[in-house]
Amino acid sequence: MNDLVQSAAAQLESAVPWEAEALAAVGDAAGRPLFVSDPARAPSLAASGAYVTSFFGARFAPGDAALSNDPFVGASHVTDFTLVRRCERGTAFVRMRLPDIGGFEFGGLAPQSFDTWGEGARFPALLVAIRGEPRTEGLDLVALNSRTPKLLRRGVAAMEEAAGRLAQAIDAGTEQDDEPLRAAAATAAAALAALRPGTYAAEAQVDSPPGADSPLVKVALEIGDNRTRLSFAGSSPQIEAPLNSPPAHTLDCCLSALAATVPGFPLAPGALDALDIDPGAGTITGAEPPAITGLAPYHTARAIHRALGTALRAAGAPASADPDWWETSGMAAYERRVDPATLRLRGERAATLRELEKEGIA
Amino acid sequence: MTLLRQDLITAEIIRNSLETVCQELSATVENTALSPIFTLNHDYSCGVFYWGGDEVQLLARDFAVPVHIFASLDSVNTVLAAFADDINEHDVFLVTDPYMGGTHCPDWTIIKPVPVEPDTVFFPCVRGHVNDVGGPVPGNYNVNAREVWQEGFRIPPIRIIERGERVEDLWETILANTRLPADVRGDLLAMVGACGVGERRIRELASKYGAAALKQSVDYVVSYSETRLRAEIREWPDGVYTHTELLDHDFAGNRDVPIRITLEVSGDEVSVDFAGSSGQMSGFVNSPRGNTLSQVFTAITALCPDIPINSGFFRPITVHLPELSIVNPEPPAPVGHCTLVPGTTIIDAVMKACEQVAPRLVGTAACDMNSARAFGVNSSTGRYWVGSDLSATPMSAGGAFGTDGWGAWAATFCALRLPPLEMFEVYYPYEYLLNEYARDTAAPGQWRGAPAVHYRRRHRDHMRCTIYNASFKYPLAGYAGGHRGAGNYWVIREGDPDELKVTESCYAEPLPEGSLLFAQSGAGGGWGDSLARDPQAVLDDWLDELVSLEAARRDYGVVIDAERRAVDAAATAEERSRRAAA
């Protein structure tokens, strides 16, 4: 299955002429991803899956496919679309970044926004296929709210195709069960057990855009005999700047930071089940609607990694553990996407996408 | 179309019944909606449309804002085009997109098809202004918009109720795209519920009179209005009449934006051509087709107030809209302010052209053009709010032949209401200090316009405010020699060191707790030569403190003896003679 999702993600990425940050996953019938092409995003994908499957409940039938881009139910940002497709023996997931979904600015990075609606339209769970048949009404609604409706339709078509292939593969096999999740949690618990019991606190300042407040990410790490707890409840309150990390995105950051810092901690779906994490409702790390989220995957993610890395090293994680994981991975994506002077989508990137839309790519 | 006497009576009963249906729809919305913009401002309209196998027709409306209900014709057409072969009993549709029969993003149209026979379908319909539909700016009036996506969530025709069941994921999506989901959910349910009431009443009518009689009657009702308007137009002198009105600005730096009308009366038909009007603009003053047509129809219906308004009324009127123009833009041009700007300028331009045709019928049918939206969190309740306070925009009426401008909305927003300010003080952290006619602001004329209103409020919380003002440079027009109305402007943070006078716009300006907001809201123009105004009427205005002694003399040539509280007839005659000779 791991090979399958890697291949699906690669195919999805190559199916569209923009950097899509494509993701593919195979999940169980409850909508939990079990095998994810980029496990660092498994927690947020799980949040999207959980929302979609619980929203539709028993009505979510094989062949149904729903789009979700709501930052507060799994997406990191409004241009981050997940397609969840129910199949007979599990759930197929694909996720990609679509070029635009309205709002103030092309590409959804709108630092002048008051709230999430300034960054673009929200679709918590919208059916785009019913029993395998396209539901044009749903896709028309999404496309009308994009400056690049042709690219959006192209992207969604690629997602449906990829999800369809995954669904076929899932249904050709046996019922997916949650064994991979349990295994990852057990491995993670063992890795955490090697840390020194105690309570550790750390903080990191979010590198803010000029003129914005510089909020703090604060983490309290409690390693007990039976359970590890992480709390971000002391972090700064969410602010009117695009730095707010929704809870699911914070969990993504936690997973990647733990995996990069704690020896043996698996970068895998289910690993976070080994500990309790409180993102801190209403804070910069547990943002609630209508917070603006556009730059959280960069600025705030970096601070979460720094704070958590510091706390973990204080608890005995090796000092040599990769403290620059975020510097090398996250910031590279940031630099490709964001114009540091304006904090909007890079002009050349926007121009290319507009040109592609104008040409009406086939 | 002629009918037997008993059929004529049936047709008239059915016409009145359909208008009563609209009243009932309206009452249902008013009594069940949640937002003050519905329950207090009545910023919604109800109508019954009809498809008899040919074109969709407006049959009846009541308590309706013309720009809502006339443009809804396009909305019904859009739904039919999208779902023609896929409409079930008890479906309900929603469409909001400005380029799909809408006007601006917050105007939502709910349509419920009620098939009586396969080729006889009625459509109870409610169009209402929803208080917030997402997008970058709370309340959706984005003075910085350069594209329609910057104005709110766009909704193409969608089926929100299928066979009587709510389509949950569409509702979820709709409500995820408003800052006020609880209120909007209530308003949407009210609109849907009203259409359900409409369905019941239409079925009762069909059951009572039979489908054939119903069809015959509505055909007659529509043709009756057409016949009446054609008869009226025949009284008008054939000819070509032109007029150009100017918008102050387009909120994007362009000023003196023309709306040019060429109106041709020929026999029993009128054509209105917008050639020569501005191209589509950068700012949010573009008027989609449905909005422009509605404004034209509004002006002409105001000329003929005793003809029943339905699609028959529109048939003798042909409108030519240049493509890519301010009156017929293409996506993604922003349109957010279109119902007011250029809507009211369009009405004024048509009216001014008609002034040359039928001067005694014309007058201000357009609306004042100063508006603002504020938003914040109410510290008393903890609730986020977006204020749709219309109290600073109320008195749009101008003078007309035989009557002064009155203290109410003009034709274009005739169904809107002024809320009790006390209720708004409950809803929003406002404290009203002033809301009254201002002396020497009524547009002079033989019949003067309504005076401007001066409005002041204090803020009980910190909030932010966006103002989108027009009609400062070019106030509403006067007619037959009457003067233009007073201009509009605002003063924010009045009396504070950072006080700011706003004649065009401001964006999300902070209004601290305790700060003051002042507005002057000018009204419509005067009608006729002000020197011909009855001196007694000028005296009455002085006694009512609407005109000063100086203005009585300056604007009307009337000399008032303040001590005797009477007109000095001799001095007035002398003053008017002198002015006439000058």
Side-chain angles (χ1 to χ4, degrees), chain B residues 81-110:
Chain B
F83 291 92
D85 302 322
D86 184 24
I87 293 176
N88 315 296
E89 290 268 333
H90 309 304
D91 284 353
V92 178
F93 297 88
L94 167 66
V95 60
T96 77
D97 189 56
Y99 290 101
M100 294 184 178
T103 47
H104 55 173
C105 293
D107 277 353
W108 287 10
T109 309
I110 293 287

Side-chain angles (χ1 to χ4, degrees), chain B residues 207-236:
Chain B
S207 167
K208 184 170 182 182
Y209 294 100
L214 203 53
K215 193 169 180 177
Q216 176 178 269
S217 295
V218 298
D219 286 344
Y220 174 78
V221 162
V222 171
S223 71
Y224 172 77
S225 290
E226 178 183 357
T227 303
R228 288 279 312 275
L229 183 61
R230 288 189 186 280
E232 180 75 29
I233 295 170
R234 272 195 296 273
E235 300 297 313
W236 299 352

Side-chain angles (χ1 to χ4, degrees), chain A residues 51 55-56 59 70 100-106 112-115 117-128 135 137-138 140-141 143-149 240 354, chain B residues 83 93 97 100 132 134-138 142 144-145 147 149-150 152-160 167-170 172-179 375 384 464 507-508:
Chain A
Y51 186 80
F55 178 78
F56 291 109
R59 291 171 293 139
D70 191 329
D100 181 79
I101 192 63
F104 235 130
E105 301 283 348
F106 188 98
Q112 75 275 46
S113 297
F114 304 114
D115 48 35
W117 297 281
E119 297 190 306
R122 295 167 64 194
F123 299 90
L126 180 67
L127 286 172
V128 290
R135 185 203 196 195
E137 194 179 4
D140 287 350
L141 178 56
L144 189 65
N145 285 283
S146 171
R147 291 175 178 85
T148 54
E240 193 179 291
R354 285 185 191 276
Chain B
F83 291 92
F93 297 88
D97 189 56
M100 294 184 178
D132 181 84
V137 177
N142 183 359
N144 293 329
E147 301 169 316
W149 296 287
Q150 297 169 328
F153 191 58
R154 301 172 67 189
I155 305 179
I158 56 172
R159 183 179 359 230
I160 59 169
V167 183
E168 294 293 352
D169 65 332
L170 292 178
E172 174 87 347
T173 299
I174 292 164
L175 297 177
N177 286 284
T178 168
R179 294 171 176 83
F375 59 96
Y384 181 84
R464 281 179 284 189
Y507 176 74

Side-chain angles (χ1 to χ4, degrees), chain B residues 57-397:
Chain B
Q57 318 226 31
L58 168 64
L59 291 184
R61 89 282 178 271
D62 202 88
F63 299 129
V65 174
V67 71
H68 284 163
I69 211 66
F70 299 164
S72 295
L73 259 175
D74 275 5
S75 306
V76 179
N77 273 314
T78 304
V79 165
L80 277 180
F83 291 92
D85 302 322
D86 184 24
I87 293 176
N88 315 296
E89 290 268 333
H90 309 304
D91 284 353
V92 178
F93 297 88
L94 167 66
V95 60
T96 77
D97 189 56
Y99 290 101
M100 294 184 178
T103 47
H104 55 173
C105 293
D107 277 353
W108 287 10
T109 309
I110 293 287
I111 297 161
K112 181 165 199 178
V114 181
V116 173
E117 285 193 336
D119 66 344
T120 306
V121 185
F122 290 81
F123 302 88
C125 166
V126 182
R127 175 176 287 197
H129 186 140
V130 173
N131 206 11
D132 181 84
V133 295
V137 177
N140 306 107
Y141 287 92
N142 183 359
V143 297
N144 293 329
R146 300 293 178 265
E147 301 169 316
V148 67
W149 296 287
Q150 297 169 328
E151 302 189 302
F153 191 58
R154 301 172 67 189
I155 305 179
I158 56 172
R159 183 179 359 230
I160 59 169
I161 306 271
E162 184 167 14
R163 300 176 200 274
E165 296 290 322
R166 224 181 292 172
V167 183
E168 294 293 352
D169 65 332
L170 292 178
W171 284 71
E172 174 87 347
T173 299
I174 292 164
L175 297 177
N177 286 284
T178 168
R179 294 171 176 83
L180 306 165
D183 289 356
V184 170
R185 181 176 177 277
D187 298 338
L188 197 52
L189 286 169
M191 294 163 80
V192 170
C195 287
V197 171
E199 176 185 24
R200 282 202 297 279
R201 297 295 176 256
I202 288 164
R203 291 203 186 283
E204 285 165 11
L205 273 178
S207 167
K208 184 170 182 182
Y209 294 100
L214 203 53
K215 193 169 180 177
Q216 176 178 269
S217 295
V218 298
D219 286 344
Y220 174 78
V221 162
V222 171
S223 71
Y224 172 77
S225 290
E226 178 183 357
T227 303
R228 288 279 312 275
L229 183 61
R230 288 189 186 280
E232 180 75 29
I233 295 170
R234 272 195 296 273
E235 300 297 313
W236 299 352
D238 282 1
V240 177
Y241 310 92
T242 63
H243 185 77
T244 301
E245 276 291 309
L246 299 175
L247 274 66
D248 287 13
H249 62 110
D250 76 337
F251 297 87
N254 300 298
R255 294 192 163 70
D256 304 331
V257 180
I259 301 286
R260 181 173 173 79
I261 297 289
T262 300
L263 182 140
E264 181 172 4
V265 179
S266 177
D268 63 359
E269 295 192 338
V270 168
S271 79
V272 179
D273 191 340
F274 283 85
S277 297
S278 170
Q280 67 185 42
M281 304 302 295
S282 302
F284 74 152
V285 299
N286 297 291
S287 171
R289 178 183 176 276
N291 188 69
T292 302
L293 293 180
S294 296
Q295 309 292 355
V296 172
F297 296 152
T298 299
I300 297 178
T301 54
L303 300 179
C304 312
D306 62 342
I307 300 177
I309 294 173
N310 54 48
S311 279
F313 192 102
F314 308 147
R315 287 178 182 164
I317 305 166
T318 309
V319 183
H320 302 281
L321 301 173
E323 290 181 0
L324 292 171
S325 69
I326 189 171
V327 292
N328 188 19
E330 285 187 359
V335 300
H337 206 1
C338 67
T339 57
L340 275 174
V341 182
T344 60
T345 313
I346 293 169
I347 295 176
D348 255 4
V350 174
M351 269 293 181
K352 289 298 286 184
C354 290
E355 180 185 45
Q356 303 160 62
V357 178
R360 291 196 171 189
L361 297 180
V362 298
T364 300
C367 186
D368 187 11
M369 293 181 275
N370 72 339
S371 296
R373 285 287 195 279
F375 59 96
V377 175
N378 190 326
S379 63
S380 303
T381 62
R383 287 194 67 195
Y384 181 84
W385 60 273
V386 179
S388 58
D389 181 4
L390 303 178
S391 301
T393 325
M395 305 307 176
S396 301

Side-chain angles (χ1 to χ4, degrees), chain A residues 26-29 62 86-91 167 170-177:
Chain A
V26 165
D28 62 12
R86 185 79 173 87
C87 48
E88 296 287 351
R89 294 180 169 174
T91 306
I170 293 168
D171 285 345
T174 55
E175 186 90 19
Q176 297 296 324
D177 67 28

